[in-house]
Amino acid sequence: MEPMSFVLFGATGDLAKRKIFPALFNLYVDKKLPAAFSIVGVGRRAWSDTAFIQSVEQSIREFSRRHEIDQAVLAPFLAAFSYVAVDVTDAAGYASLLERVEQREKEFNLPQNRMFYLSVAPEYFEVIAANIQESGLGSPQGWKRLIIEKPFGRDLQSAEDLNQKLTKAFTEEEIYRIDHYLGKAMVQNLEALEFANPVFAALWNNRHIANVQITASETVGVEERAGFYEQAGALRDMVQNHMLQMLMMVAMHIPKRITATDIRAQKRKVMEAVRPLKIEEVAQNVVRAQYSAGQIGETPVVGYRDEPGVSPASMTETYIAARVWIDDPFWRGVPFYIRTGKRLKEKATRIVIEFKNPLERLYREQQEKTLPNLLIINVHPEEGIALQLNSKNPANSGKIEPVTVDFSAGHQDVPEAYERLLFDALRGDSTYFAHWNEVRLSWKWVEPILAAFERNLVPLVSYEAGSHGPEAARDLLREEGFSWWLDHVEERELEPVHR
Ligand SMILES: NC(=O)C1=CN([C@@H]2O[C@H](COP(=O)(O)OP(=O)(O)OC[C@H]3O[C@@H](n4cnc5c(N)ncnc54)[C@H](OP(=O)(O)O)[C@@H]3O)[C@@H](O)[C@H]2O)C=CC1
Ligand SMILES: O=C1O[C@H](COP(=O)(O)O)[C@@H](O)[C@H](O)[C@H]1O
């Protein structure tokens, strides 16, 4: 990994504190940062280097996954940090930033490789990219890269505008769009699961798979983010990015080679084959809902409209479920169901692949019940893979019962998503970053849903906080004779009606 300068815009903010500094530190401890580097923080507030370095140290002590921090390791790490107060909208301020970056390059004997990380509100993305370009910061003798946070636009048009402006300063190959779900170990593992196991590779198609269920459920509510969330809702906040990225990762076909280019090409093909929804079809295929008051565990919680900062008549959805069809020869006829929501019963991101059960009748004639084989990929916070099979239980008169072969990654001290993604970006590996094609096609698919919501063509139903979501989401699957797996113990017993 080549020595470089890391310029962090938004260095005094929440994301820097909770994720970026701890991730950089953990990479440093694991010897995954270059041998020499400088980190220049940028914010508005008039901090000294010392004040900034103190805040970095505090964030590492508070948020690092490592609880034991060795001062002898921390001190040289912190020595790489310095701070420049710049209002990013003021082009004149970039001269002092350039001066500092160059001064540190000389001090640490660094080649001019520059990583720019935009951890600021999205309205600043364009102006920062333009000012980087115009100030000379963006013309180093070595490489330059741009890591950019979500959200990438708020609809197709704004995403296109943003992309056009960014690409005046950075090429597509230089842009690393963060989707932190792509940094999750089990999402990255999907590729190996599908392509490193011929047994699954052979089954990964509509001949063998009945449906795919992708869930990202959260117990938290809107927290202190009402200002943002009221404008976004679950569709923009989770579906356009994380949910569709997981769908692409599950549905992609075997690439020629395991490279960023080939994998991204396969993901693009999936999104190109996703059946577009007409506005008038949205209501039949998408459920939108909002949480009402309820209980998370033992704790009573208010409904969304009573959350601080939320309008009492808010129509913002905190839950989405949708049926997605992929019209290609591999997936034609296999529904992909996605759902995500806040204030649900459990915190769980999970993918369930339900296999077809053509031999079910054979055993039914024997008065035996078999359940479909399920491949369950627990993404977060549990991490692991489970395969549900049917097996005779000798302790129960040899009756067939479901058994689960479980590989759980347990709670090992594994790198967090931001560590993996930063490591990749520093190495110049863009496999697990969202390519513009993926972002564009995702917005394109989401557009009619946004329009249908705006025109109120889809009812906003409510669900009780602490529940598994609205009944309408169950009805969505019932239409094809399926049900959401693993919501309820009793659903394990529930026999889906297979056609
Ligand atoms: N926080 C999170 O968990 C997540 C955040 N994100 C994204 O990351 C980005 C940053 O979020 P977050 O850290 O929460 O935001 P914060 O509001 O906590 O921080 C914003 C940062 O931007 C700086 N800033 C704001 N205006 C200016 C300006 N005119 N000139 C220079 N610096 C400025 C602030 O500096 P100062 O305070 O000194 O003015 C601060 O460092 C956003 O795009 C967000 O959507 C994405 C996923 C999760
Ligand atoms: O991007 C976002 O993700 C989080 C959920 O992330 P997870 O890693 O905890 O599953 C979500 O709470 C937030 O609203 C959204 O902006």
Side-chain angles (χ1 to χ4, degrees), residues 17 37 41 67 80 128 164 191 291 326 339 376 384 406-407 424 434 444 464:
K17 178 175 72 178
F37 60 92
H67 301 300
I128 296 177
Q164 202 207 349
E191 164 216 307
Y291 61 82
I326 301 173
R339 62 175 171 168
I376 301 157
D406 203 340
F407 161 72
D424 286 351
K444 203 170 159 194
E464 198 180 323

Side-chain angles (χ1 to χ4, degrees), residues 150 180-181 184 218 220 225 228-229 237-238 241-242 342 347 349 380:
K150 63 170 278 228
H180 79 276
Y181 272 54
K184 290 183 190 276
E218 298 188 84
V220 293
R225 298 170 71 217
F228 158 76
Y229 200 80
D237 189 37
M238 293 291 293
N241 36 66
H242 309 318
K342 293 199 181 285
K347 169 73 186 163
T349 302
H380 182 75

Side-chain angles (χ1 to χ4, degrees), residues 9-16 18 42-45 83 86-89 118-122 124-125 149-151 180 225 228 418:
F9 292 87
T12 55
D14 178 70
L15 186 70
R18 287 192 307 107
V42 180
R44 241 177 333 192
R45 61 194 83 170
Y83 179 80
V86 175
D87 183 328
V88 293
T89 59
L118 308 194
S119 177
V120 290
Y124 296 125
F125 292 166
E149 271 298 334
K150 63 170 278 228
H180 79 276
R225 298 170 71 217
F228 158 76
Y418 272 86

